[in-house]
Amino acid sequence: MKISNPAEHPVSLGGVASGKIPFVTVIINDEEMLQKAKEVEITFEDGAIIKERISGKGTIVLYENKLNNEPMSYRKLIIYGKDMTKLYEK
């Protein structure tokens, strides 16, 4: 198992873009960011925006692709702090 350097990779992303329910996994590696993080916002390719609260070291963001079974990856990710300021954006 490889451990990421939080300075180089403060946030690890994964997930699956295909199927009826694509998802994105968000893991916060940076302890300072983790202490401040409250919510993650994912914008998918079709423009849908899904928000989830951060629990533990991160969260899984599910998106039900109701239109078809085409792959649906994310376009944008934002992590907000407890005061709703942007802590991270990719």
Side-chain angles (χ1 to χ4, degrees):
M1 181 168 127
K2 182 180 176 191
I3 304 295
S4 293
N5 179 347
E8 293 177 21
H9 304 284
V11 177
S12 298
L13 301 171
V16 173
S18 61
K20 190 74 172 157
I21 303 180
F23 65 91
V24 177
T25 58
V26 180
I27 299 172
I28 301 172
N29 300 312
D30 180 275
E31 283 298 320
E32 185 177 335
M33 185 186 306
L34 182 60
Q35 295 300 318
K36 295 177 182 177
K38 177 183 179 181
E39 185 175 273
V40 63
E41 176 183 292
I42 303 283
T43 303
F44 286 87
E45 284 182 333
D46 67 352
I49 297 172
I50 308 294
K51 294 181 180 182
E52 291 288 339
R53 288 180 105 34
I54 300 290
S55 60
K57 284 198 60 84
T59 191
I60 297 174
V61 180
L62 300 173
Y63 173 56
E64 186 175 356
N65 184 2
K66 294 179 181 179
L67 298 177
N68 54 48
N69 285 329
E70 295 297 316
M72 182 68 63
S73 60
Y74 79 95
R75 196 179 345 166
K76 185 175 179 182
L77 170 134
I78 302 172
I79 295 175
Y80 292 101
K82 292 171 177 54
D83 58 359
M84 296 311 288
T85 58
K86 288 183 187 178
L87 299 176
Y88 181 86
E89 185 171 353
K90 180 171 182 167

